[in-house]
Structure formats: structure tokens, C-alpha cells
Amino acid sequence: MAVLDTNLLVRYLVQDDDAQLAAVKKLIRTALRAGETLFVPITVMLELEWVLRANFKFNKDQVTAVLSNLLAAAELTFESEAATEIALALYKKSRADFSDCVHIALAHVAGHGPLWTFDVAASKTDGARLLGV
């Protein structure tokens, strides 16, 4: 199964480099013709959110729409897909960073929690608690 790096997903999504976009599309077509899905690690989802927001100035609604669409794509398989879906739901309704939502969701899926943090915004998210000093 082919594994997609963040930069491939970025090129596919933002379509800012014709040659790289063509190469990504060819890889996807080849994998699909072979009956394979494409694997996306959780770390790629973390980095993708950051790149879209920081480098391409996507707002939170745009980022959540992109991530939701990726999760819905039958051609893709995700590492820790349940945790990624939980993280996205937490991110949509909280002020926490997506990365904090991923930490909370991974802990939850593993049967652990809460996530203790000094981050006030993250601590207001379901599954996290503020550690006072």
C-alpha cells in the first residue's frame, strides 16, 4: 500500500505546482488501478493541518472541511482513523489546536485520559484538564 507524505497531499489539494500535481495524480491512479488504497499516517494529518493553516492561510472552517473530505475518501486509509475523526470533531467545537485534539483523541481511543496540560485553551476541550501550579 502506498503511503502519502504531507507534501503530496498539499500539492493535490492546493494545486500550486502543475508538475507535482500531475505526479501525485499519476501515483493515485496507479494505486487505484491496482486495487490499493493510499495510507495516510496520523503525523501527516497533523502536519497537513499546520501547513494549510500556516503556509496557505486556510481558516479553521476550510481546514476542517479539507480534513473531513479526506476522511470520507474511499481511496484513503488512515492510521488511527477513529482517533482522527474524534480529533476533528473536538477541533471543530473547541479553541484547542488540532494537535492537542489529536493527543486527546489518541489517549481516548487507547482508553486513557484525561490529557493533563498547562494549555488553557486545550484544557477546555472534552478529555483534557488544566494542571494548576
Side-chain angles (χ1 to χ4, degrees), residues 2-51:
V3 181
L4 299 178
D5 189 13
T6 308
N7 52 33
L8 273 70
L9 284 173
V10 169
R11 294 292 81 77
Y12 185 79
L13 294 167
V14 301
Q15 301 183 8
D16 62 345
D17 182 303
D18 291 339
Q20 289 184 349
L21 176 60
V24 172
K25 285 183 173 182
K26 182 179 179 183
L27 172 69
I28 292 170
R29 280 193 307 273
T30 301
L32 296 178
R33 273 192 228 117
E36 295 180 5
T37 56
L38 301 151
F39 183 74
V40 180
I42 188 81
T43 51
V44 166
M45 293 295 280
L46 279 169
E47 189 176 27
L48 178 62
E49 181 275 334
W50 180 83
V51 167

